[in-house]
Amino acid sequence: MSKLSRRKQGRRKQRFVNRRVWLTMGTIAAYAAAGSSNKSALSFAQSGKGSAQDNGQAQLSVRRFDIPAGPLDIVLAQFAKDCGTAIQYTVPKETIPGFRSSGVTGLYSQQQALRQILAGTGLDFTFTGQDAVTIGVRNSQSVEVSATSIDSVALAKLPTPLLDTPQSVTVIPHQLLTDEGVTTFHDALRNSPGISLAAGEGALQGDNLTIRGFPVEDDIFLDGIRDFGSYYRDPFNYQQIDVLEGPAGVEFGRGSTGGVINQESKTPELHPFMDFNGDLGTDRTRRFTADINEPLPHVADGAAFRLNLMVHDSGVAQRDVTTNRRFGVAPTFAVGMNSPTRLVASDLHMQEDDIPDYGIPWYFGRPAPVPRHNYYGFEHDNFLRTNVDIGTVSIEHDLSDRGLLRDIARYAHYEHKWQITEPQVNNASSGAITPATPLDEVMVNRNQLAGHSDEAQLWDQADVTYTGKLLGVRQTAVLGAEGGKESSDPVRTRFVNPVTGLNTVPLTSLLHPDPAQPFSGTEFPNTQVHTDAFSAGVYLLDTFELSREWELSGGIRLDHFDANEKSVTWAYPTSGPPVGTPQAAGFEQDINKGTWRTALVYKPTANGSIYFDYGTSFDPSAEQLSLTAANAETPPEQNESYEFGSKWNIQNGKLTLRGALFRTNRENVLEPDPTDSSVDVLAGNQRVDGAEGVVQGHLTDRWEILSSYTFLRSEVVDSPVTRQNYPASIGLPLQNVPQNLFNLWTEYRLPHGFEVGAGSNFVGARDANSTTLTTLSSLETAPEYWTFNAMAKYAISERISVQANIDNLTDRFYLDELHPGHVIPGAGTSALFGVNYRF
């Protein structure tokens, strides 16, 4: 190209830029003219004042916003409509080229909602009166006001933007899960820092994992209420997943040593759409999901209906026999969404019929050196069947312009039936096993875990959020109460003859197991238990804005927890049928416990915060509705955590950076006895020190990233000498806690509708048990591993797109889920190909 041609091209480019700048400025002026025609209108001008001069009462109004992303004028119009009479807004005919908003979802004041709406636009705002706002171009002197589309959660207990929340919170949005091709709750949580996965155990067949080194099986919530049933969750009905790290006993009650996980369900919207997705993949994978939303103005004002469906059937790459089959449906009806009083009724039904996988046995401190596809169960007799029904009704009412009153009621029922093989190498074959024993001579004991259970929950949670001033200091307070009943009725059977003590299940070869072998075990009743737990809690959370730079927050909660257990024991005479005898006196645990939390936040600028947080929590022995003679009289585990961290929203709120240093102490710890996993034993005190960093958001308009690194130093601080080998555990790392965790997922939008993505996951070495030495080995340890994933997507049209995902690109053999008795390998290379149709 000649110099003259380049100069001409440069001048054309400069004229194009100049035209765009003048068009943008002219449109802003048009907005200003349109806004100034009404004193109560939302007006646009070059104020340059930012939100630092917000005044009046408008910014104190607290309400629920659910405004999707879109053109800025449409988003602002919906914002004004949602605010009712507080702010009136007239949409001019002109639109600002390139000005789009990420919308706002969550519980916010008008000021906080506007920050979300204007994030990344280069615009700022000033409240000039109770019902008047000036919006204009931010200049170099203005205060930086920024937020991101993921700077909020729907939890009423966290009413402030995440930037101002003194706690590590990771939000995993629905779109990210879709792009990654995620089909399980487990895989979705690989995006969060500090999480490692664990294997199922006995009746606890479901999502088992740890946060910051501590288990959270009983700390999984659905829309703010404990989802305590043991089952494998599917993300088909998620709007996003919130991972809150650190003790959250003040907000959520018992448990929450390392943190809690909240699933946010999709809710109806006031515009129609239908989204269908079909996937086919390796390992016989077939999956279909549908998301249908329809406004119902003829039924009632602000009414809408949303239906989400899911059907899934797949195997697992390089794991023989294992099969995952599930079906889900989630209808939701809402009314009054554009009024001060809103009601939402929903139901979640999920069914599962799997051939479960308990992996491979441990062998002298390491996984048995066998082919990764070996399956040691019985393909025609092992199963895991679940039925889950969760019905929820919530109602919200705006209290003038100062607060929000909310009540949510739920009934949940979880039904399970299972028979699972746990492979064990524990001198099961004739003679003693030594490291020199040829592998083809080693036989595996097929320990059968079998039974059925019914779990139920009836719960109600009510709270009021108030924003106002106390002694001249602006505050946001949440006062609430919750309580209800939870019950569990597990019936367990065994396949060991109680009279002779002989195992009735045939053994199998370690190297060449036969999953098609006929099952010849004889079933005997083992235990039948019924546990009822009654809980009640009251809490107060408050945040004071001491100045523009300083915020002080705190909370206190009082909990009552009363668990009662009754059981039936079985006697086996040498002749005649077994006799079930009810327990003469059951076990009871009655606990009244308080927790508290305090935090100080310093905001050097409006887009950054530095905080220190201290909180406590507790874990009763009957937390998972299981009481025995070993733990009924044991006082609750006590937890305390310290966290020092910082959060920054940069690039006009498009990118979030945060980091934290933390320490968690746990006293009077209970852990499963490795010789009998149904019994808990005292294991002393534990500590986890750590650090983490997270990068999330858009590096550019086309480049998106979510990446995190976590360092965990865990140890058993002390251990009682009442049990053999436990003093030897002092100084050892905790069960299933790697020292290093790293995750990366990044996407880039190419021209012409193409998009590519890639990710990696690193998990450091982990121990399967921190409290004892087994009879065959030293501590079982899983080595560190890396995995790599990739994605490609192409938009054929505005309505149709195709997508391909490949997981574990290098076909790495790794140990994914650990248990003291067995270990489950991760899936090999697998691919998923999908078509999405939206209209």
Side-chain angles (χ1 to χ4, degrees):
M1 181 183 295
S2 67
K3 294 183 180 179
L4 180 60
S5 299
R6 286 196 295 269
R7 285 197 297 269
K8 289 182 178 179
Q9 184 177 358
R11 285 194 295 269
R12 287 196 299 268
K13 182 177 181 180
Q14 184 63 42
R15 285 196 299 269
F16 172 78
V17 172
N18 291 339
R19 286 197 299 269
R20 183 179 179 87
V21 170
W22 282 108
L23 181 58
T24 300
M25 298 303 294
T27 310
I28 293 176
Y31 269 86
S36 62
S37 62
N38 190 324
K39 292 183 179 180
S40 63
L42 184 63
S43 58
F44 288 73
Q46 285 195 354
S47 66
K49 298 178 182 179
S51 60
Q53 298 183 9
D54 298 345
N55 53 53
Q57 299 300 316
Q59 67 268 32
L60 301 181
S61 176
V62 177
R63 66 184 70 244
R64 178 78 64 186
F65 292 96
D66 188 10
I67 305 176
L72 181 59
D73 56 345
I74 296 177
V75 172
L76 285 172
Q78 185 62 48
F79 167 75
K81 183 178 180 181
D82 289 351
C83 291
T85 59
I87 294 179
Q88 310 231 338
Y89 173 62
T90 303
V91 181
K93 296 181 180 180
E94 300 85 352
T95 59
I96 301 177
F99 275 60
R100 291 181 58 84
S101 170
S102 58
V104 57
T105 300
L107 179 66
Y108 290 114
S109 67
Q110 293 174 12
Q111 177 189 25
Q112 294 166 344
L114 273 173
R115 289 181 182 179
Q116 300 277 44
I117 289 171
L118 297 179
T121 64
L123 299 175
D124 209 345
F125 70 94
T126 299
F127 274 91
T128 58
Q130 182 169 347
D131 59 355
V133 176
T134 299
I135 293 181
V137 176
R138 182 186 301 126
N139 62 28
S140 60
Q141 303 299 321
S142 66
V143 177
E144 182 76 8
V145 177
S146 59
T148 69
S149 60
I150 55 172
D151 196 33
S152 63
V153 295
L155 292 169
K157 297 170 184 176
L158 297 178
T160 57
L162 297 185
L163 179 68
D164 302 334
T165 301
Q167 183 176 5
S168 295
V169 182
T170 300
V171 176
I172 307 172
H174 167 74
Q175 187 58 50
L176 176 68
L177 302 181
T178 300
D179 292 343
E180 290 181 327
V182 166
T183 61
T184 66
F185 186 65
H186 259 181
D187 288 341
L189 291 173
R190 297 182 196 273
N191 292 288
S192 177
I195 288 184
S196 53
L197 307 182
E201 177 184 12
L204 298 177
Q205 297 303 318
D207 298 308
N208 295 290
L209 40 91
T210 64
I211 297 181
R212 288 187 174 177
F214 299 100
V216 291
E217 291 92 341
D218 199 47
D219 300 320
I220 300 174
F221 289 73
L222 178 63
D223 299 320
I225 292 182
R226 193 182 309 274
D227 182 20
F228 84 102
S230 298
Y231 67 105
Y232 291 102
R233 296 161 179 84
D234 189 288
F236 79 101
N237 192 42
Y238 292 167
Q239 186 63 36
Q240 64 186 44
I241 302 174
D242 312 320
V243 181
L244 289 72
E245 299 178 81
V250 170
E251 296 96 337
F252 297 97
R254 72 179 194 263
S256 70
T257 307
V260 301
I261 301 169
N262 182 59
Q263 311 155 82
E264 289 192 23
S265 302
K266 296 177 182 177
T267 55
E269 300 178 14
L270 290 178
H271 60 96
F273 63 83
M274 288 187 283
D275 196 342
F276 300 98
N277 190 82
D279 296 295
L280 294 175
T282 56
D283 313 297
R284 312 181 311 277
T285 299
R286 292 160 291 176
R287 181 178 175 88
F288 171 79
T289 60
D291 185 357
I292 303 170
N293 186 85
E294 184 65 31
L296 303 173
H298 57 284
V299 174
D301 186 34
F305 177 77
R306 190 166 184 174
L307 177 66
N308 277 268
L309 299 167
M310 175 274 300
V311 179
H312 182 98
D313 188 352
S314 73
V316 177
Q318 300 200 33
R319 290 297 301 152
D320 289 352
V321 180
T322 305
T323 303
N324 298 315
R325 305 186 194 95
R326 56 186 179 270
F327 163 77
V329 56
T332 307
F333 172 76
V335 64
M337 287 191 290
N338 54 2
S339 71
T341 303
R342 302 165 292 280
L343 182 143
V344 179
S346 66
D347 179 67
L348 171 65
H349 174 76
M350 278 192 60
Q351 292 180 210
E352 187 174 15
D353 186 3
D354 297 346
I355 301 177
D357 185 9
Y358 258 35
I360 60 180
W362 292 106
Y363 191 74
F364 294 98
R366 59 192 178 97
V370 298
R372 67 193 292 181
H373 60 79
N374 274 14
Y375 185 84
Y376 293 90
F378 298 89
E379 61 179 315
H380 301 298
D381 294 275
N382 285 163
F383 57 85
L384 172 62
R385 302 182 185 121
T386 64
N387 271 285
V388 176
D389 284 286
I390 304 174
T392 308
V393 176
S394 65
I395 185 168
E396 294 180 343
H397 177 69
D398 297 331
L399 299 174
S400 182
D401 61 351
R402 293 296 185 93
L404 177 75
L405 179 65
R406 186 190 68 112
D407 186 86
I408 178 169
R410 173 173 295 166
Y411 175 75
H413 181 253
Y414 311 87
E415 183 181 9
H416 313 75
K417 190 172 184 180
W418 69 92
Q419 182 176 328
I420 304 171
T421 297
E422 180 181 43
Q424 299 176 339
V425 178
N426 51 2
N427 294 328
S429 59
S430 60
I433 299 174
T434 70
T437 303
L439 291 179
D440 58 1
E441 296 180 9
V442 177
M443 300 298 290
V444 174
N445 175 35
R446 294 156 134 178
N447 180 39
Q448 296 299 296
L449 305 171
H452 61 86
S453 71
D454 281 288
E455 299 166 320
Q457 178 191 46
L458 182 63
W459 201 263
D460 189 82
Q461 182 183 102
D463 52 54
V464 58
T465 301
Y466 170 81
T467 301
K469 289 187 177 183
L470 178 65
L471 300 177
V473 178
R474 185 180 302 170
Q475 65 166 340
T476 301
V478 180
L479 175 65
E482 61 180 320
K485 176 184 176 182
E486 299 161 300
S487 65
S488 178
D489 295 275
V491 177
R492 297 176 175 88
T493 58
R494 56 181 170 177
F495 293 85
V496 175
N497 190 310
V499 177
T500 64
L502 298 177
N503 185 8
T504 65
V505 179
L507 307 181
T508 193
S509 167
L510 176 64
L511 283 181
H512 306 289
D514 181 10
Q517 182 179 5
F519 182 78
S520 58
T522 302
E523 188 174 23
F524 298 90
N526 189 14
T527 61
Q528 181 175 343
V529 180
H530 175 81
T531 306
D532 286 326
F534 300 88
S535 302
V538 294
Y539 52 90
L540 172 64
L541 313 170
D542 210 341
T543 298
F544 296 93
E545 297 184 29
L546 304 179
S547 67
R548 287 174 48 190
E549 292 82 17
W550 292 95
E551 292 183 359
L552 176 66
S553 63
I556 187 171
R557 180 183 177 114
L558 298 176
D559 276 291
H560 171 73
F561 181 73
D562 184 7
N564 297 272
E565 181 265 347
K566 297 286 187 180
S567 67
V568 174
T569 58
W570 296 88
Y572 290 87
T574 56
S575 62
V579 178
T581 304
Q583 189 177 15
F587 301 109
E588 182 177 2
Q589 191 170 72
D590 192 342
I591 295 174
N592 295 288
K593 189 71 174 174
T595 52
W596 65 285
R597 187 170 196 158
T598 185
L600 184 65
V601 179
Y602 172 64
K603 299 192 66 176
T605 66
N607 69 312
S609 65
I610 303 170
Y611 65 89
F612 176 78
D613 178 31
Y614 172 82
T616 66
S617 63
F618 72 98
D619 296 83
S621 303
E623 179 181 3
Q624 297 176 348
L625 306 191
S626 176
L627 274 175
T628 68
N631 63 25
E633 300 300 325
T634 305
E637 297 173 345
Q638 311 252 10
N639 317 301
E640 62 176 7
S641 182
Y642 307 83
E643 182 172 326
F644 175 75
S646 184
K647 304 178 183 181
W648 293 85
N649 288 340
I650 62 176
Q651 296 186 0
N652 292 326
K654 295 179 181 179
L655 187 67
T656 298
L657 309 177
R658 65 175 175 85
L661 303 173
F662 54 86
R663 163 173 284 187
T664 301
N665 296 316
R666 192 178 193 186
E667 299 179 355
N668 202 26
V669 177
L670 295 176
E671 286 200 3
D673 188 325
T675 62
D676 184 357
S677 61
S678 65
V679 177
D680 288 336
V681 294
L682 291 172
N685 301 328
Q686 301 173 347
R687 175 185 298 153
V688 175
D689 294 320
E692 70 180 27
V694 179
V695 180
Q696 184 172 10
H698 288 83
L699 297 171
T700 69
D701 290 340
R702 294 181 175 271
W703 190 3
E704 188 173 0
I705 187 173
L706 170 57
S707 184
S708 64
Y709 168 74
T710 305
F711 172 81
L712 298 170
R713 186 182 183 275
S714 65
E715 64 176 328
V716 178
V717 178
D718 59 69
S719 182
V721 296
T722 55
R723 295 190 61 87
Q724 185 180 4
N725 291 330
Y726 271 59
S729 299
I730 296 176
L732 293 178
L734 304 187
Q735 176 182 343
N736 195 36
V737 182
Q739 191 170 78
N740 295 282
L741 286 164
F742 173 77
N743 178 74
L744 168 68
W745 179 259
T746 184
E747 299 177 37
Y748 191 82
R749 292 194 301 275
L750 299 166
H752 310 297
F754 288 96
E755 188 171 349
V756 294
S760 62
N761 187 251
F762 174 80
V763 178
R766 298 165 289 162
D767 291 339
N769 203 322
S770 62
T771 57
T772 188
L773 306 179
T774 70
T775 57
L776 274 180
S777 66
S778 59
L779 288 172
E780 299 97 345
T781 299
E784 64 184 37
Y785 68 85
W786 281 93
T787 58
F788 300 92
N789 309 315
M791 178 274 288
K793 183 164 53 175
Y794 174 63
I796 299 174
S797 67
E798 292 184 356
R799 295 184 175 182
I800 302 175
S801 63
V802 293
Q803 180 173 325
N805 290 83
I806 302 178
D807 294 333
N808 195 0
L809 278 167
T810 60
D811 199 27
R812 175 69 183 268
F813 174 74
Y814 64 99
L815 303 178
D816 192 28
E817 301 175 22
L818 305 189
H819 184 272
H822 61 278
V823 59
I824 302 176
T829 300
S830 58
L832 192 67
F833 304 94
V835 178
N836 178 264
Y837 181 56
R838 182 181 179 92
F839 63 95

